[in-house]
Amino acid sequence: MLALSACGQEKNLEYELTNISDSAADSTDVKLAESHEDKGPSEPETVFYENAHTEYTGNEPLSDTGKIDAVLESLTGEYVYSSDSETGRLFIQKSSYGYDISDYKSDAPYRFLANSSNIETIDNNRIYIKYPEQVFSDGEAVFGYYILEYGTEGIDVYYGKTAFEDAAFLYHAARNTETYGYEGTYLDYSVNEPALEIKKNSDGTYQVQIDLFRLYSLDGVGKETENGLEFTTTEPGPGETKMNGVITLEGSIATVTIFGQEWLDFAGVSEYKFYRTLDVPDNTDSEKTAEELFDQFINGSINAVDSSDSTSTFSITDLEKDTYSVGEQVDLDNDGENELIINGPYGGMYLDARDNKVYKFAGGDGTAVVLSYTYYNGAVWIMYSNQSSAGFEYYHMEKYEGADHLAAEMNFGEEFDVNNAEAGVKYTLNETEISYDEYTALCSRIFAAQVSTN
């Protein structure tokens, strides 16, 4: 059989069982012979597998489970490869059932998901895997034959459709020495599809999205602690109950644990395992527009996050329908993209969409903090008004360049000094006293363009 090696040369691969007469135990040495020329017919003593159902019956140098596990433990980790425009990851990971060996290509969920039971033998730095690629209802199976040849430079992977002697070179996988922390896209063990995404936010928190059994979708925010990546999310259903969980990593395997008896009663299980397939989530195709995210919030599909407390979320149903209403979309943070206004008491709230999430970045809070916005000096400013006391007015304005970047602030107001009636009313701009005419001119410009969102 001819195959291309990593440097473009042809390889002739033969799987030979050669008796070694001078061996102390007269054991069988399994060899994978390579050359750049056809060797011709095999020697008489060479025995080949004939079809996919033939069992290996030779002496197996590493057939003992403990010895096999020791080899796999030394190889545990993540390996990366690129061959013929194909990229992917090869994983050797310890699990609760032993060791798992898996290969995820960039253009498909996986090539194989094998475990220790699929290993025929390990000999001469080669792992021989007989993998059931298709299993029929009557128990019959179609197998693929993989050989993983390991060394200090990584792992060479070979594949045969009918037997080990057919194994042709697939790729060379180098050990991945980079570390990416929790970030990544992870596959569900059960359905072999992306089901967990973790992405680090600019404030050091993590965006956590979990799909469980294609039935429940959890969207939360997490922080790194000594216990792992602890996160808060909202339980599915009308109650919108807050739940806590933690994500721990062992190599490229993420274990998600959700705390609380209520969730256990609801779902029947509280611990889930996922395999990492990509080091950093690729949101190129999945990134939603601001309008799409706002629509999802309005129809109740996703929650909004409070920018002042990234662990706090709320849904559209949390807002009283008789006091809050969906308003227009306006560019309130001067980034060229509209924000969503929720009209309501004390000016309601303003929502921003970024990083595939909806955030509350401004909100009214009583008579001393009434929210509105205005146009001043060529930009939109968020304004908070305080007119809660007689003879007192105070205004705070903020200009953003993106809702997560406060670019400028301004304060102005008027106050009657009750302790000094003769002094009359004091007018200030950024804590500096100004004249009545200056104050009136300033207010005229600001309030003429003010938009109320009560």
Side-chain angles (χ1 to χ4, degrees):
M1 171 171 289
L2 298 179
L4 289 178
S5 71
C7 60
Q9 296 176 324
E10 291 183 346
K11 291 187 177 183
N12 183 286
L13 306 178
E14 295 181 356
Y15 185 67
E16 301 178 356
L17 301 180
T18 306
N19 292 325
I20 302 177
S21 58
D22 58 353
S23 170
D26 195 23
S27 64
T28 301
D29 182 23
V30 182
K31 293 185 177 180
L32 184 65
E34 299 181 7
S35 71
H36 301 300
E37 59 185 7
D38 193 345
K39 287 195 171 207
S42 304
E43 296 298 325
E45 67 270 21
T46 301
V47 179
F48 291 107
Y49 291 115
E50 295 180 355
N51 56 58
H53 299 282
T54 304
E55 297 293 337
Y56 172 62
T57 57
N59 295 325
E60 301 178 354
L62 281 184
S63 59
D64 178 77
T65 301
K67 295 179 180 179
I68 290 177
D69 286 353
V71 172
L72 295 179
E73 182 177 6
S74 69
L75 297 174
T76 295
E78 176 182 348
Y79 300 79
V80 295
Y81 63 85
S82 178
S83 175
D84 296 331
S85 300
E86 176 183 278
T87 59
R89 301 285 193 275
L90 175 68
F91 297 101
I92 300 179
Q93 301 291 347
K94 188 174 183 179
S95 71
S96 55
Y97 303 102
Y99 285 85
D100 295 325
I101 306 173
S102 53
D103 172 7
Y104 295 94
K105 297 187 292 182
S106 59
D107 60 349
Y110 63 88
R111 178 184 269 115
F112 62 83
L113 294 168
N115 56 48
S116 305
S117 67
N118 302 124
I119 295 177
E120 293 284 282
T121 185
I122 298 179
D123 184 31
N124 198 21
N125 286 7
R126 302 183 189 104
I127 304 172
Y128 295 87
I129 299 174
K130 184 179 178 182
Y131 178 70
E133 296 184 332
Q134 186 176 7
V135 180
F136 300 101
S137 58
D138 61 0
E140 286 293 312
V142 174
F143 292 95
Y145 293 81
Y146 291 90
I147 300 174
L148 278 59
E149 185 174 22
Y150 55 91
T152 57
E153 300 298 322
I155 297 177
D156 289 332
V157 178
Y158 302 84
Y159 171 69
K161 290 185 177 180
T162 59
F164 287 119
E165 74 265 21
D166 293 335
F169 178 79
L170 284 179
Y171 58 79
H172 172 78
R175 187 184 289 271
N176 187 5
T177 58
E178 297 184 71
T179 176
Y180 297 90
Y182 291 94
E183 281 196 289
T185 299
Y186 300 76
L187 289 185
D188 188 301
Y189 270 81
S190 305
V191 297
N192 301 318
E193 293 179 358
L196 169 65
E197 282 208 359
I198 305 175
K199 184 177 180 182
K200 196 167 187 178
N201 299 318
S202 58
D203 62 357
T205 63
Y206 288 83
Q207 174 185 334
V208 179
Q209 296 176 320
I210 312 171
D211 290 320
L212 301 176
F213 314 125
R214 304 181 184 175
L215 297 176
Y216 312 117
S217 181
L218 304 178
D219 194 354
V221 176
K223 293 182 178 179
E224 285 191 69
T225 72
E226 60 181 9
N227 298 319
L229 179 59
E230 297 187 4
F231 65 91
T232 301
T233 183
T234 303
E235 180 180 307
E240 300 291 341
T241 304
K242 299 292 183 184
M243 301 187 305
N244 296 317
V246 65
I247 301 173
T248 56
L249 282 181
E250 183 176 348
S252 294
I253 298 178
T255 300
V256 178
T257 304
I258 299 175
F259 302 124
Q261 187 63 40
E262 290 186 8
W263 174 259
L264 185 59
D265 293 340
F266 172 75
V269 64
S270 59
E271 185 176 288
Y272 310 86
K273 286 185 178 292
F274 305 88
Y275 287 98
R276 176 156 55 192
T277 60
L278 298 174
D279 296 314
V280 178
D282 181 3
N283 293 324
T284 303
D285 296 326
S286 60
E287 189 78 24
K288 297 180 178 63
T289 66
E291 189 171 354
E292 289 173 333
L293 290 168
F294 291 144
D295 286 342
Q296 287 187 320
F297 173 76
I298 292 169
N299 65 34
S301 299
I302 62 174
N303 291 347
V305 179
D306 192 333
S307 293
S308 62
D309 181 3
S310 57
T311 64
S312 176
T313 63
F314 61 93
S315 69
I316 190 73
T317 57
D318 293 329
L319 306 177
E320 299 177 15
K321 293 183 179 180
D322 56 342
T323 54
Y324 289 92
S325 63
V326 177
E328 61 181 337
Q329 296 186 28
V330 180
D331 184 8
L332 299 171
D333 59 4
N334 306 291
D335 66 349
E337 194 170 73
N338 289 337
E339 281 65 55
L340 175 65
I341 296 174
I342 302 295
N343 297 307
Y346 312 115
M349 66 183 68
Y350 303 154
L351 304 181
D352 178 58
R354 63 182 186 277
D355 301 328
N356 255 2
K357 297 177 76 69
V358 173
Y359 291 87
K360 172 188 172 183
F361 84 97
D365 188 18
T367 57
V369 187
V370 179
L371 179 67
S372 63
Y373 70 93
T374 189
Y375 296 88
Y376 177 69
N377 283 353
V380 177
W381 292 68
I382 307 300
M383 184 160 65
Y384 299 94
S385 304
N386 182 356
Q387 298 173 320
S388 57
S389 303
F392 174 81
E393 293 183 5
Y394 187 80
Y395 305 95
H396 173 72
M397 291 173 56
E398 298 176 346
K399 183 179 75 170
Y400 288 85
E401 294 175 357
D404 58 345
H405 179 214
L406 178 61
E409 297 180 84
M410 186 171 70
N411 300 297
F412 63 97
E414 61 180 85
E415 181 178 6
F416 181 78
D417 189 349
V418 295
N419 297 319
N420 186 5
E422 294 182 358
V425 179
K426 179 180 179 181
Y427 305 97
T428 59
L429 171 61
N430 294 330
E431 313 305 326
T432 300
E433 188 170 352
I434 61 177
S435 68
Y436 169 78
D437 290 340
E438 291 174 318
Y439 183 78
T440 302
L442 177 66
C443 290
S444 177
R445 293 176 58 194
I446 291 174
F447 294 126
Q450 182 188 18
V451 179
S452 173
T453 51
N454 286 322

